[in-house]
Amino acid sequence: MRTKQKIIKVPFIGDLIYSSGHTILGILLGIFTGGLLIAISGVNPFLAYASMFRGAFNSLQSFSNVLVRSSPLLLGGIGVAIGIKSGVWNTGIEGYMYIGAIGATIVAIPELGLPPIIHILLCFIVAMLFAGLWGAIPGYLRAYKGVNEVTATIMLSYVAIYFTNWIVSGSPLAQEGAYFPMSLPFAESSLLSILMKGTSLHPGPFIGLLMCIIFHIILKYTPFGFRTRMLGYNPFAAQYAGINSKKQIVMTMVIGAMLGGLGGAIEVLGLKHRLYMEFVTGVGYESVAVALVAGGEPIGVMLSALFFSILKVGGATMSIETGVSSSMASIIIALCVLFVIGVGVADSKRLKKRDEKDPGKKTLSFKMEEAVK
Amino acid sequence: MNENSILLKMQDISKSFPGVLANDHVTIECEKGHVLGLLGENGAGKTTLMNILYGLYQPDQGKIFVDGKQVVINSPSEAINHGIGMVHQHFKLVDTLSVIENVILGIPTNKAVLDFGPAKKKLEKLCKEYELFVDPEEIVWRLPVGKQQWVEILKALYRDCKVLVLDEPTAVLTPSESDQLCRAIRKITEQGRSVVFISHKLREVIEITDKVTVIRDGKVIGTVNTKEATQSILAEMMVGRPVTIERKARPTVKEHSAVLVMKNVNAFDDRGVQALKDFNLTVHAGEIVGVAGVDGNGQRELSECITGLRKPSSGSITIQDKQVTNVIADPSFVGFIPEDRQKTGLVLDFTVAENLLIKDYKEKPYVKNGFLQYSEMKKHAEHMIKKYNIKSPSGDIKVKTLSGGNQQKVVIARELDAQPVLDVASHPTRGLDLGAVSNVHDILLNERNRGAAVLFISAELQEVMALSDRIVVLYSGQIMGELNGETADQFTIGQMMLGQTTEAKK
Ligand SMILES: Nc1ncnc2c1ncn2[C@@H]1O[C@H](COP(=O)(O)OP(=O)(O)OP(=O)(O)O)[C@@H](O)[C@H]1O
Ligand SMILES: [Mg+2]
């Protein structure tokens, strides 16, 4: 009797589980090794993690802090992730966030007499426009002049940071006589509303999560996503198939920049209510780590961004309560990145074997052995 | 037969993949100092069997004996330790490293700093011994394909193998390179080593092997002594019916307007060397123009210029009076089978269905309201798999799991199904079995009869002569001469391929 495999597919959940596999494993290994390091530093790792957990979840307020903290990581994370999918390292998220925030600031300060929703949308649009144009520079350099995009984006990030410093200290938008370089306050109508009383929870994290889902769908189910993936897998074949790879590279970098810019705008509109000097130190670079841990998958970005912000928010509590160094959170993040990359390498060997066994691996498949005469 | 003289034995090997039984109780034997030929249709299971020997796959059942001792091979490094070397069907070299770096890559060393000196000496000695010359310092991507093949072989020999597996090594070689390889194989076997040789070219198989095992659908059909075999016996064993590649009768096509017109085209290759020199060629509707010539004389640049992948430095190329400016990726206008299927023609990590649509993914039934319709793509794939006889369990599997020949069929199906005005077929039959070669010939002939202009680029003289209405011979970026397909003789073409016509004429 022969047996025939029948495969039932559950596309979305299947995608989710598949694309999160590496991420979860890498995170677990990171937590484990982090625990070892905590133990070496003389603290019981269980107590330390418990304190971290409490720091992140013990109250609505702390949990909303986790969400708020994840907002720029989610947006920056997908921005980097779609770059990875098309084969470019769009590492300039930090700069896009500043430029986006500047764009938002310009239209957020004046009282325009618009209803809040319109005013906010206007801020978002200008932010994305600014950041998108900014991202077009390294995109153009990479696609048409062959300039390494990592170098170009990081250099431009510095330019953006110094530009912001000038905006908040020397430009007409700056608040005069402030104790710290900052812009004028934003108009009331431009501020994001607080979703929960007594917390700082603004809609940013939900916008970020929504974007992750949207970009997952775009990458998987649209021609644009098809092109992007093709370019990432095999640039020669992409060119052969008539894809304008230069244009595609510029586009993915611009989109990544727009997402980063949106992230920056949400930070200032939702949390800071002004533009400050160095308001996102390092978040842009953490976004790169988020995307790496996510393996370039937007769905994985959801997981890794939330995890990173739990680490960051809970890490502060852990350090206060147990005396573990406050940089432990960053160390664990770095460990996760290394492990995800390591797992990826180890897994590519295993995958080869699994490919033989289960070609429908990208979809969660329940196999039913069905007897055939 | 003396059991001791058997160097390699694979006994009763079975291996299944989902939906495919790739090896079905296969037994092969190879004596010391002998060459065993493995023959079989595309997807018959030859590569799978050899991948098992090399530790890349685990068999579901069966035993492997090397030198009379049973061995279990879990990985390529274990295979190498057991004296097994393998040259894969598709190159596994690291393009950006030098020859010597590629050769010693993966050999464990206990030195902190790599010392290339002794390695280079050893490699140069091997080069001399087998007359497979390559410069150890050259970066691999700069080498012509034939030389890259030498590197693959030298890499295996460097590891001192007792059994050398060559999986379709001649598919990318020129005839004279193939002869060179044959000489090297003889030297290898003289030293008491054994070679397993896979090829679809029967002439070579007969010339070089001692025994031939024929596999069909994963099962051994039989093993014959090569001395007692002829091409037609082997072909029949392989395909189950007699097949020959010969010229078929063809109707004359009325429509005869010029489709492809190339005027004074100059172009450079990736290395910056001039590859096409003042090249002129016209291909009409309803004719097959065969481009004969030793590979590397501008064939690749020719096909790439026509399809817009490469910009000529000067000259003009028109297709149906339209100037070629950008990449043409419309298979209903120009179908292009590129010479390197894995690098250019396919996205290996995409499924068969996606690969069949890498050019047409944004056309009507496959996109609705801005979203890809995977169900339509799948339906299309199922249709093409049937129509073009692609051995694939479904459209949902990654194209990289298909056998080499079936990967090629995916490209052919995609490029020729849309009935283009011009077909540019660059080595379309490379890696195909005899039956599939004859199918491709039928397809191209039908294209011609339908009124398409066909440019057929091939290094296989026999195929060019069987298929072409007109033959042009490419040498060093120029056309050496043009012959009528009906009357052309092998000798004249052979002379022209070596660039000798001009002197003869003078
Ligand atoms: N990793 C894999 N996963 C699934 N199926 C596979 C895999 N490798 C091979 N197959 C299937 O096994 C069968 C035998 O393939 P194999 O590559 O051994 O053929 P082959 O005889 O080498 O053919 P060719 O002459 O075309 O190279 C094919 O149907 C192929 O699709
Ligand atoms: Mg094969």
Side-chain angles (χ1 to χ4, degrees):
Chain A
M1 190 176 13
R2 278 189 309 152
T3 56
K4 189 177 142 198
Q5 287 180 329
K6 191 171 177 186
I7 298 171
I8 303 171
K9 286 169 188 157
V10 187
F12 188 74
I13 300 173
D15 288 347
L16 196 126
I17 290 179
Y18 171 73
S19 52
S20 321
H22 285 194
T23 309
I24 291 171
L25 195 56
I27 287 176
L28 289 178
L29 286 169
I31 291 176
F32 176 75
T33 320
L36 289 181
L37 289 179
I38 292 173
I40 289 169
S41 71
V43 177
N44 182 336
F46 294 102
L47 292 181
Y49 279 134
S51 136
M52 173 184 282
F53 192 77
R54 249 178 294 125
F57 295 107
N58 75 336
S59 67
L60 271 181
Q61 178 159 16
S62 56
F63 184 59
S64 79
N65 282 344
V66 169
L67 287 178
V68 166
R69 188 73 173 72
S70 74
S71 160
L73 292 178
L74 284 164
L75 289 163
I78 339 168
V80 180
I82 58 165
I84 292 178
K85 278 276 155 193
S86 68
V88 292
W89 289 98
N90 197 357
T91 49
I93 299 293
E94 189 100 355
Y96 308 142
M97 288 185 170
Y98 281 106
I99 296 296
I102 291 173
T105 301
I106 292 172
V107 281
I109 292 173
E111 291 286 355
L112 299 174
L114 295 169
I117 183 86
I118 304 289
H119 197 172
I120 290 169
L121 278 179
L122 180 70
C123 292
F124 284 177
I125 289 168
V126 176
M128 296 206 288
L129 213 71
F130 270 49
L133 284 173
W134 192 256
I137 301 169
Y140 171 81
L141 289 175
R142 157 67 209 259
Y144 293 90
K145 301 284 164 205
V147 176
N148 182 304
E149 74 275 19
V150 176
T151 325
T153 50
I154 291 180
M155 291 304 187
L156 279 167
S157 287
Y158 284 106
V159 177
I161 291 168
Y162 290 119
F163 186 48
T164 312
N165 291 352
W166 173 74
I167 295 270
V168 293
S169 56
S171 81
L173 295 176
Q175 174 87 44
E176 269 170 54
Y179 62 95
F180 186 82
M182 62 173 83
S183 72
L184 296 165
F186 292 172
E188 193 64 33
S189 58
S190 72
L191 303 180
L192 300 183
S193 52
I194 297 298
L195 299 179
M196 213 188 307
K197 271 224 180 75
T199 69
S200 50
L201 185 61
H202 56 73
F206 303 103
I207 297 176
L209 289 170
L210 186 69
M211 285 295 176
C212 286
I213 294 171
I214 290 177
F215 273 92
H216 171 78
I217 293 169
I218 288 180
L219 278 176
K220 264 227 86 172
Y221 299 103
T222 67
F224 174 83
F226 192 89
R227 281 195 288 276
T228 306
R229 285 184 291 131
M230 203 194 311
L231 187 63
Y233 280 135
N234 185 349
F236 299 108
Q239 191 199 7
Y240 160 81
I243 286 165
N244 185 338
S245 54
K246 294 183 170 146
K247 195 173 126 203
Q248 191 75 13
I249 286 174
V250 176
M251 271 170 82
T252 46
M253 286 192 76
V254 167
I255 290 172
M258 288 168 95
L259 288 164
L262 180 62
I266 288 175
E267 283 297 282
V268 292
L269 297 172
L271 205 57
K272 317 273 176 182
H273 300 177
R274 291 173 191 254
L275 178 65
Y276 286 89
M277 185 168 98
E278 290 174 6
F279 71 99
V280 284
T281 23
V283 176
Y285 297 109
E286 282 165 22
S287 307
V288 179
V290 164
L292 274 173
V293 170
E297 299 282 347
I299 298 294
V301 167
M302 294 204 219
L303 274 176
S304 62
L306 285 171
F307 172 68
F308 280 18
S309 39
I310 291 172
L311 277 182
K312 285 282 178 178
V313 173
T317 316
M318 173 174 79
S319 140
I320 295 164
E321 287 186 7
T322 64
V324 173
S325 157
S326 60
S327 47
M328 189 52 78
S330 308
I331 294 176
I332 296 175
I333 289 180
L335 284 170
C336 290
V337 173
L338 289 177
F339 277 118
V340 167
I341 295 170
V343 168
V345 173
D347 204 35
S348 58
K349 278 193 175 163
R350 193 182 59 82
L351 270 185
K352 226 176 163 181
K353 297 215 164 114
R354 194 177 68 172
D355 265 358
E356 317 163 19
K357 301 253 151 63
D358 180 10
K361 63 173 189 144
K362 276 219 165 178
T363 39
L364 178 67
S365 22
F366 303 105
K367 279 180 216 130
M368 300 195 312
E369 303 274 281
E370 190 191 13
V372 182
K373 286 155 258 169
Chain B
M1 194 194 320
N2 181 1
E3 273 293 318
N4 289 335
S5 69
I6 295 200
L7 185 53
L8 170 74
K9 178 166 182 171
M10 295 181 79
Q11 191 178 352
D12 215 20
I13 303 274
S14 291
K15 172 76 187 172
S16 61
F17 296 111
V20 192
L21 188 52
N23 287 155
D24 187 0
H25 299 279
V26 172
T27 299
I28 59 163
E29 284 181 345
C30 187
E31 282 172 57
K32 215 176 203 146
H34 272 197
V35 181
L36 173 70
L38 273 189
L39 264 183
E41 288 178 289
N42 296 127
K46 307 176 293 291
T47 300
T48 304
L49 188 67
M50 291 302 110
N51 281 343
I52 289 171
L53 179 62
Y54 201 55
L56 286 167
Y57 294 149
Q58 294 311 308
D60 300 338
Q61 70 155 55
K63 294 179 190 147
I64 301 173
F65 299 87
V66 177
D67 243 350
K69 281 188 288 289
Q70 188 182 347
V71 294
V72 176
I73 304 172
N74 288 312
S75 67
S77 62
E78 287 183 36
I80 291 165
N81 288 339
H82 286 118
I84 292 157
M86 178 147 172
V87 173
H88 295 270
Q89 190 168 1
H90 300 104
F91 286 134
K92 302 274 184 210
L93 298 173
V94 183
D95 265 5
T96 47
L97 294 183
S98 70
V99 170
I100 185 73
E101 284 168 326
N102 265 288
V103 167
I104 63 169
L105 196 70
I107 297 179
T109 164
N110 42 19
K111 292 206 193 78
V113 179
L114 281 176
D115 180 8
F116 288 110
K120 223 182 287 172
K121 275 214 192 85
K122 185 169 169 190
L123 179 66
E124 273 160 0
K125 205 174 135 241
L126 287 172
C127 288
K128 234 184 254 138
E129 193 173 344
Y130 299 103
E131 292 177 32
L132 303 175
F133 293 101
V134 270
D135 173 4
E137 299 291 344
E138 189 63 281
I139 306 293
V140 162
W141 73 265
R142 299 177 61 95
L143 292 173
V145 234
K147 294 269 182 194
Q148 293 191 15
Q149 191 66 279
W150 296 168
V151 180
E152 288 278 15
I153 294 167
L154 290 165
K155 194 175 162 181
L157 290 170
Y158 189 93
R159 284 159 177 71
D160 224 8
C161 54
K162 285 186 272 191
V163 179
L164 178 63
V165 177
L166 301 172
D167 194 352
E168 296 192 34
T170 55
V172 293
L173 298 184
T174 63
S176 78
E177 283 171 335
S178 296
D179 292 343
Q180 217 176 329
L181 177 66
C182 285
R183 284 199 296 278
I185 290 177
R186 289 215 182 84
K187 288 201 190 96
I188 293 168
T189 51
E190 273 163 22
Q191 299 161 333
R193 306 172 202 237
S194 298
V195 172
V196 180
F197 183 83
I198 301 177
S199 173
H200 291 293
K201 301 179 187 171
L202 298 179
R203 192 178 44 79
E204 291 170 5
V205 172
I206 288 190
E207 186 182 328
I208 192 71
T209 64
D210 298 290
K211 277 190 182 163
V212 182
T213 296
V214 180
I215 302 180
R216 196 195 304 162
D217 284 333
K219 285 193 267 294
V220 172
I221 294 295
T223 301
V224 291
N225 284 321
T226 310
K227 278 198 214 86
E228 294 147 23
T230 62
Q231 291 199 26
S232 56
I233 291 177
L234 291 178
E236 198 164 342
M237 276 175 86
M238 194 165 100
V239 191
R241 66 187 154 91
V243 228
T244 44
I245 300 299
E246 57 194 20
R247 204 173 167 86
K248 292 184 182 125
R250 52 186 73 197
T252 40
V253 178
K254 283 202 201 84
E255 169 67 27
H256 206 69
S257 58
V259 173
L260 170 72
V261 181
M262 301 179 73
K263 279 196 193 120
N264 302 321
V265 174
N266 287 289
F268 291 84
D269 69 10
D270 288 342
R271 279 160 273 211
V273 178
Q274 185 155 17
L276 291 179
K277 295 170 195 154
D278 276 326
F279 191 89
N280 291 294
L281 179 68
T282 303
V283 184
H284 301 93
E287 73 168 346
I288 299 179
V289 173
V291 179
V294 177
D295 236 3
N297 275 291
Q299 283 91 338
R300 171 156 167 224
E301 291 72 20
L302 172 62
S303 65
E304 289 182 348
C305 283
I306 295 171
T307 51
L309 276 171
R310 186 179 293 270
K311 290 244 167 349
S313 56
S314 67
S316 106
I317 302 173
T318 56
I319 299 170
Q320 275 195 337
D321 298 326
K322 278 198 274 294
Q323 197 75 31
V324 175
T325 47
N326 283 319
V327 180
I328 303 172
D330 175 6
S332 64
F333 183 46
V334 177
F336 176 30
I337 299 163
E339 62 175 30
D340 187 339
R341 57 176 171 249
Q342 290 209 329
K343 204 164 177 178
T344 316
L346 294 166
V347 181
L348 291 176
D349 283 296
F350 269 12
T351 63
V352 173
E354 287 173 319
N355 268 291
L356 283 167
L357 288 165
I358 59 172
K359 289 182 171 176
D360 273 345
Y361 61 96
K362 46 184 180 324
E363 299 303 320
K364 224 0 180 330
Y366 312 118
V367 174
K368 213 160 77 193
N369 307 324
F371 287 99
L372 295 171
Q373 302 298 310
Y374 276 98
S375 55
E376 290 294 333
M377 293 171 78
K378 207 176 148 183
K379 238 187 267 162
H380 174 71
E382 241 100 83
H383 170 70
M384 298 291 259
I385 285 171
K386 237 186 246 127
K387 184 165 170 191
Y388 287 90
N389 204 4
I390 301 168
K391 203 170 166 198
S392 169
S394 81
D396 278 344
I397 68 162
K398 289 200 177 168
V399 96
K400 69 177 169 195
T401 70
L402 297 190
S403 83
N406 284 294
Q407 292 179 5
Q408 181 71 6
K409 289 187 200 169
V410 171
V411 179
I412 292 169
R414 182 185 63 221
E415 296 305 317
L416 299 187
D417 197 64
Q419 307 216 328
V421 179
L422 170 69
D423 292 333
V424 180
S426 189
H427 307 283
T429 58
R430 188 175 269 176
L432 293 188
D433 67 51
L434 217 56
V437 169
S438 123
N439 284 347
V440 169
H441 283 197
D442 288 347
I443 293 173
L444 289 174
L445 207 54
N446 279 339
E447 285 291 289
R448 164 204 181 270
N449 296 346
R450 171 177 69 77
V454 180
L455 188 69
F456 175 63
I457 302 172
S458 175
E460 298 293 324
L461 213 45
Q462 204 195 353
E463 289 192 35
V464 175
M465 289 172 58
L467 206 54
S468 313
D469 295 300
R470 264 193 306 142
I471 300 173
V472 295
V473 183
L474 191 58
Y475 175 77
S476 191
Q478 284 172 313
I479 289 179
M480 280 288 116
E482 189 183 313
L483 301 119
N484 184 319
E486 297 285 348
T487 54
D489 71 299
Q490 201 153 350
F491 180 76
T492 322
I493 302 179
Q495 292 290 305
M496 288 181 177
M497 278 167 70
L498 297 171
Q500 284 170 0
T501 320
T502 32
E503 275 124 275
K505 271 184 189 160
K506 269 176 205 166

